[in-house]
Every structure is written in structure tokens, then in C-alpha cells.
Amino acid sequence: MKKKLGEILAPMTFSEKISYLWEYYKIHFIVTIVVLIFIGTSIASFAGKKEIVLNIVVMGEMINSERIQTLQDELNVELLDESELDDKQISLRYIHYSSTQMDQQSHVGIQKMAAEMTSKSIDLFILDKTLFDQFSREGSLVSLSDFAEFDMNAFEKNDLYFSPVNDGQVDGVNISVFERFMDIDINGDKILCIPLNA
């Protein structure tokens, strides 16, 4: 009959018990330690993760990434209460995209953007004119005219971008009218718009 572990360890000294356990159960100990470390790091990463309350994505080629980070920090301080800063954040991110040169980085950027749009995680877009026109033609943007808060009279007509599909609908606004966003684009104008599934 096979002896129980307690019976085997009973006559041994403390150091003999440790040696015996390590000899026969070291794989079990190592696996347990690795699993505990994995669980601990997973819990820590989820616990430290902040809820994104506003996700703004800037797509373009010549974007001032330093200004993007500064602007994100400014928006978090100005739009969130001090009590919210511990567990919430506004995300302002840049995805590389070139409408003139579709290199590998642009393809990756388009795939990343498509995945985020599918998961409904993008709240605001800042796009170049070519990409904006494509989204607008496809009907992939929310009409800003639908928002009661959006007063078209507050903007110059040449700063508004009208839908090519629906007459009178405004799909975007030139970011140059928002002083805060003016210097994020090094290489030209960008358009602020809202994806349809935001």
C-alpha cells in the first residue's frame, strides 16, 4: 500500500522535508509560481487600466506626435474632474496613414482603424480630406447637422464639409476653426468628424 505524504515526511527533519518536496514536486512548484505570477500581473494590468471616456483618433502622414501627447494631457485635465482622473481618461491617438503612398505602415494603419471602428471604440476622427471624402461618400459618418448643439451658423461656410450623398448635411468641420487642434497636423488641413458607429 502506498504511503501518504504526511507519513513519509513525519520522521524527517525540516531540511530533509524541503529537499524531499523539492526533489519530487519541483515541477509542480515551478508551474504554480509561474501561474501565480501570470494571474498577479493580469490582475494588476486590469486594475490599473483606465476607462476611456472619449477616444479621438487622428489619421495622417505628417502628424506632430509631441503635440498629440500634450493635447491629450490638456484635454484630460480640462474635461475630467480630479476625481475622474484616477480611473478615466481621454485618449488621443495617432494612426499613420498616407493617401498618396500606400506603404506597409499605411496598410497597417487602415486595418487598425477598421478594427477599432468595428468594435465601436472611436468617438471622433480627425482625417485628411481624401480619407474624409471616402468615408463621407460611403455614408460612414454621422451628420453633424443632426446634433442640436451643432450650430452651423457659428462657422464659415468654407470650414464646413457637406455630405456628397445627402444634400445639406454637414459631415465634418475643418480643425483649423478649433484653435486647440490647429498645430497637430504638420502637412495640411484635417477634418473633424464622427464615425457612424461611434
Side-chain angles (χ1 to χ4, degrees):
M1 187 169 149
K2 193 173 179 182
K3 283 186 176 181
K4 293 183 178 178
L5 183 60
E7 294 172 2
I8 296 170
L9 295 176
M12 295 181 185
T13 65
F14 181 73
S15 60
E16 289 173 335
K17 289 177 186 178
I18 298 295
S19 296
Y20 178 85
L21 290 172
W22 181 250
E23 181 69 31
Y24 291 99
Y25 298 101
K26 65 179 153 198
I27 301 281
H28 298 85
F29 287 135
I30 293 170
V31 168
T32 302
I33 289 168
V34 168
V35 168
L36 288 174
I37 290 171
F38 176 75
I39 290 171
T41 55
S42 296
I43 290 171
S45 70
F46 283 118
K49 201 169 197 176
K50 294 182 177 185
E51 176 191 354
I52 296 175
V53 293
L54 179 62
N55 188 12
I56 305 169
V57 172
V58 180
M59 290 191 70
E61 188 175 12
M62 300 294 286
I63 303 297
N64 183 343
S65 56
E66 195 174 288
R67 177 64 184 137
I68 292 275
Q69 184 59 52
T70 304
L71 183 55
Q72 176 179 298
D73 296 341
E74 290 171 1
L75 289 172
N76 276 295
V77 170
E78 290 177 25
L79 299 178
L80 298 176
D81 295 334
E82 278 192 42
S83 60
E84 295 176 311
L85 287 173
D86 292 334
D87 57 349
K88 296 179 180 177
Q89 74 174 11
I90 293 169
S91 171
L92 178 62
R93 294 177 303 105
Y94 160 60
I95 297 176
H96 176 81
Y97 169 77
S98 171
S99 57
T100 57
Q101 180 184 357
M102 283 302 287
D103 57 358
Q104 184 177 0
Q105 201 174 8
S106 291
H107 283 293
V108 169
I110 289 288
Q111 290 173 349
K112 186 175 182 181
M113 177 269 305
E116 289 188 32
M117 279 188 71
T118 303
S119 67
K120 301 179 180 182
S121 61
I122 299 175
D123 299 312
L124 288 175
F125 258 144
I126 298 177
L127 306 171
D128 67 6
K129 177 95 169 80
T130 306
L131 195 54
F132 170 81
D133 287 342
Q134 180 182 340
F135 279 116
S136 190
R137 276 192 307 275
E138 293 170 356
S140 301
L141 299 174
V142 172
S143 171
L144 300 178
S145 312
D146 294 343
F147 293 98
E149 298 86 5
F150 182 74
D151 180 15
M152 288 197 303
N153 297 324
F155 302 99
E156 298 290 328
K157 193 165 185 168
N158 60 343
D159 289 325
L160 301 175
Y161 291 88
F162 292 87
S163 168
V165 191
N166 301 311
D167 284 340
Q169 274 192 196
V170 175
D171 283 352
V173 179
N174 192 308
I175 62 165
S176 64
V177 300
F178 306 105
E179 195 174 310
R180 180 175 301 283
F181 290 108
M182 280 180 59
D183 55 352
I184 63 170
D185 183 26
I186 297 170
N187 197 29
D189 291 335
K190 288 280 185 273
I191 301 163
L192 180 73
C193 54
I194 301 173
L196 191 60
N197 63 352

